[in-house]
Amino acid sequence: MKLFILSIVLLGVFGGVADPIHARAVEAQTEEVAAPPRFDFPDVHRRAQELARESYSDQFTPLPEAFKNLDYDRYRHIRFIHEKALWYGENLPFLMRFFHRGFLFERPVNIHVIDEGEIIPVPYRAELFDYGDNQMPEQLSDDLGFAGFQLLYPLSSEKHYLEFAVFLGASYFRAVGRGQWYGLSVRGLAIDTGLPRGEEFPFFREFWVKKPKAEDTELTLYALLDSPSVTGAYRFILKPGLSTDIEVKASLFFRNKVQKLGIAPLTSMFFHGENTERYMDDFRPEVHDSDGLLMVSGQGEWLWRPLSNPHNLQIHSFLDENPKGFGLFQRDRDFNNYQDLEAFYHLRPSVWVEPLNDWGAGRVELVEIPTDAERHDNIVAYWVPKNSLEINKEYNFSYRLRFITDDSEIHPGGRAIATRTGGGGTDKLDTSKRKFVLEFTGKKLNTLPVDTPIQGIVSASSGQLSSIVVQKNNVTEGWRLFFELEPENNKPVELRAFLKSGYDILTETWSYQWQPNK
């Protein structure tokens, strides 16, 4: 588990149980029980709307000192006992395990199960956990609560349950498909990310999980989001499999005006990669959870932006209207490029955000934060609506999250799979220039004959471009684009490039900001 560079907070208190509704049949003079109330998204929607009319409260049951003072390693010693998982032994397709409060996760979150219309709270009990060699208080309060939960499903075989999703910390959650390792995280909402005033972290204070049936292949849960500025009602439909999908429906209500709202925020890590120009004293060639931002505009243009670990905070905006999708991707799947037998970076999932309703005008924003260690999540991407959001007005966003390994299933065209750079020149090194080498691949692109007249179209915001060459790469079966840049006064340069043949655009647009190596 990595520690987030951003703060992680939780909040919640346990509520009551809904009683079944009884109806009296007067004519028959008999009493019969009507169907129990059906708890659904409108109920969470109403709670979020009512909560927005109330003043924000940050009160919660404090943690005992024994849990509050745990460091990362000692917190990991507290393990949930698998045989006590929710629905264990009931032959259901899903299991649910819980996280103990402690370390960074001080706030309790309220968790309920919806079983045939009845809302049943899931109470904390000390005997659910193995505390390892931690010295715990002799008696623990039954209202201590949980920090979050894990969801399990037989991803590989019908009898072997594997963890596929985690909800833990503020509004953070993660998921994996078959054969993947946990990597980047998703959040319910981002507020004022990258602004001098500091970021506000909404949190899920309450969850309701529908008890699955034996034949179910998806799981539905609801969440109530809260923060000083925003409340929200969320519905998640989780569909685990080769690539795990999560459909999200969110209704937002505002207590206060928000300067910048981030929809479907993705949080990842990029320490160093093939495009990193400064020296990293690391035996591993690359270290990252994601290596680029992929997006497709409302007009259908595909754009790829390789990630970087900058010297200073960098915020990049890509204007659009009704985007068709965006995401943070791990395109490099070659173990040899990572050489990490613990982190398995080559197995980290990519996450694609696909809007399911019109999002209007706005921008995809990419935030790159300097970091000196891989334990920090330093990359954030999200959608920012153009129009300011008003208090006492409801806003609705629906989207699908896809946790995938191969992005060719959503992106059929030519893709940039590598970005390398070094000193310019041919016979002699010319340090006044920078040479860029881009690798493109794709099903259709790779089948083009070697004598196909392919052009490399390259543009720069400043400086001089030269030596633009396109060459068939017989090793990757794709095509390689070379060009050199002579920067102007050693200042940052925005670069764009793609391949074409005649009037046919063969690849996505590669977009990159070159920074002088200070």
Side-chain angles (χ1 to χ4, degrees):
M1 180 185 296
K2 295 196 311 290
L3 305 183
F4 297 125
I5 194 173
L6 309 175
S7 303
I8 298 178
V9 290
L10 290 170
L11 177 64
V13 290
F14 284 122
V17 179
D19 294 324
I21 299 175
H22 298 273
R24 185 176 299 275
V26 178
E27 293 184 0
Q29 295 183 349
T30 60
E31 185 177 69
E32 62 181 29
V33 179
R38 181 181 178 85
F39 188 92
D40 215 328
F41 184 74
D43 298 277
V44 189
H45 181 280
R46 184 181 65 254
R47 295 191 185 203
Q49 196 170 29
E50 293 171 351
L51 187 62
R53 300 191 187 106
E54 303 173 4
S55 298
Y56 172 70
S57 174
D58 195 28
Q59 300 300 312
F60 60 91
T61 305
L63 267 177
E65 291 298 320
F67 296 119
K68 185 182 298 184
N69 296 327
L70 293 176
D71 60 19
Y72 172 67
D73 290 328
R74 299 202 69 80
Y75 177 70
R76 290 182 64 192
H77 289 177
I78 303 177
R79 298 184 178 275
F80 189 89
I81 299 172
H82 178 71
E83 290 74 17
K84 296 185 178 181
L86 198 62
W87 310 314
Y88 184 85
E90 297 186 37
N91 294 320
L92 296 178
F94 294 91
L95 295 178
M96 192 172 183
R97 301 190 301 209
F98 304 94
F99 289 102
H100 205 285
R101 292 173 63 195
F103 181 47
L104 298 178
F105 312 108
E106 294 191 18
R107 298 174 182 272
V109 59
N110 199 4
I111 302 173
H112 313 271
V113 172
I114 307 169
D115 186 359
E116 298 295 337
E118 184 178 6
I119 304 173
I120 305 172
V122 181
Y124 166 85
R125 301 196 312 275
E127 60 266 25
L128 297 176
F129 296 91
D130 178 354
Y131 295 89
D133 57 1
N134 288 301
Q135 293 189 2
M136 298 293 105
E138 292 184 3
Q139 292 187 347
L140 294 173
S141 173
D142 289 340
D143 65 354
L144 190 63
F146 301 109
F149 57 89
Q150 304 166 305
L151 297 170
L152 294 85
Y153 180 83
L155 284 173
S156 299
S157 67
E158 294 182 0
K159 296 183 179 180
H160 187 51
Y161 286 84
L162 295 175
E163 182 182 330
F164 77 92
V166 170
F167 287 75
L168 177 66
S171 65
Y172 285 90
F173 58 98
R174 297 195 287 178
V176 290
R178 188 182 308 157
Q180 299 173 1
W181 282 56
Y182 279 124
L184 76 169
S185 301
V186 187
R187 286 189 275 165
L189 203 63
I191 298 177
D192 295 342
T193 304
L195 296 183
R197 63 189 290 179
E199 186 165 1
E200 179 179 312
F201 287 86
F203 53 88
F204 291 129
R205 68 155 61 218
E206 198 162 7
F207 287 94
W208 297 263
V209 183
K210 281 190 176 181
K211 184 176 181 179
K213 299 184 184 302
E215 67 276 10
D216 286 348
T217 57
E218 60 185 43
L219 184 70
T220 300
L221 62 91
Y222 307 101
L224 179 64
L225 180 134
D226 196 12
S227 83
S229 299
V230 184
T231 68
Y234 282 71
R235 183 191 67 191
F236 301 94
I237 301 177
L238 299 97
K239 303 176 182 180
L242 181 62
S243 64
T244 289
D245 293 357
I246 303 178
E247 290 187 9
V248 183
K249 179 179 180 180
S251 295
L252 304 178
F253 307 91
F254 290 79
R255 289 191 178 101
N256 303 304
K257 282 196 172 183
V258 171
Q259 186 174 343
K260 182 168 65 175
L261 188 72
I263 304 299
L266 309 176
T267 302
S268 191
M269 179 275 293
F270 185 93
F271 185 31
H272 61 90
E274 63 202 8
N275 58 316
T276 301
E277 295 190 36
R278 67 182 187 271
Y279 173 71
M280 292 289 184
D281 193 11
D282 194 329
F283 77 93
R284 299 164 299 179
E286 301 182 41
V287 177
H288 48 74
D289 286 335
S290 307
D291 54 12
L293 168 72
L294 178 67
M295 64 175 290
V296 56
S297 71
Q299 300 300 315
E301 181 189 15
W302 289 91
L303 182 143
W304 172 254
R305 180 80 166 200
L307 300 179
S308 66
N309 180 2
H311 295 281
N312 302 296
L313 174 69
Q314 301 289 332
I315 300 179
H316 312 281
S317 294
F318 305 90
L319 301 181
D320 198 10
E321 185 167 355
N322 292 324
K324 294 182 179 179
F326 71 93
L328 292 175
F329 277 66
Q330 185 79 316
R331 276 188 171 168
D332 192 337
R333 296 292 172 185
D334 188 344
F335 169 79
N336 292 319
N337 293 336
Y338 300 99
Q339 293 294 332
D340 196 315
L341 291 172
E342 294 184 1
F344 288 98
Y345 287 114
H346 64 296
L347 298 179
R348 303 294 172 107
S350 303
V351 176
W352 181 244
V353 180
E354 179 186 354
L356 299 178
N357 65 337
D358 289 343
W359 285 10
R363 66 185 187 270
V364 172
E365 191 166 275
L366 172 66
V367 180
E368 296 174 318
I369 305 168
T371 184
D372 60 359
E374 66 189 283
R375 66 179 179 273
H376 296 144
D377 280 353
N378 64 320
I379 303 294
V380 193
Y382 43 79
W383 172 258
V384 181
K386 178 181 178 180
N387 297 326
S388 59
L389 305 178
E390 302 174 14
I391 300 175
N392 300 324
K393 189 174 180 181
E394 177 181 341
Y395 296 88
N396 297 290
F397 296 90
S398 296
Y399 50 95
R400 179 183 294 111
L401 300 167
R402 301 195 64 194
F403 293 76
I404 63 176
T405 300
D406 181 8
D407 63 333
S408 65
E409 60 183 271
I410 63 168
H411 183 4
R415 310 184 314 281
I417 60 170
T419 299
R420 299 183 177 91
T421 183
T426 52
D427 296 335
K428 183 178 180 181
L429 181 65
D430 185 352
T431 57
S432 68
K433 297 180 179 180
R434 303 304 301 166
K435 177 178 289 186
F436 288 84
V437 181
L438 313 182
E439 301 285 355
F440 290 92
T441 188
K443 291 182 179 179
K444 181 178 178 181
L445 183 67
N446 293 3
T447 61
L448 296 177
V450 68
D451 58 352
T452 304
I454 295 180
Q455 291 178 278
I457 307 302
V458 186
S459 61
S461 61
S462 63
Q464 297 294 321
L465 294 169
S466 62
S467 304
I468 301 174
V469 177
V470 178
Q471 179 183 7
K472 177 70 175 178
N473 186 332
N474 292 318
V475 177
T476 66
E477 298 184 348
W479 294 79
R480 174 175 286 187
L481 169 63
F482 298 85
F483 67 89
E484 291 192 355
L485 167 71
E486 185 174 358
E488 182 180 308
N489 299 323
N490 207 35
K491 64 182 182 181
V493 182
E494 283 288 340
L495 297 163
R496 289 169 67 90
F498 61 92
L499 301 183
K500 64 178 294 190
S501 179
Y503 293 105
D504 293 334
I505 305 299
L506 302 176
T507 69
E508 66 195 6
T509 298
W510 171 87
S511 172
Y512 192 74
Q513 185 180 77
W514 176 81
Q515 291 275 348
N517 193 7
K518 299 178 181 178

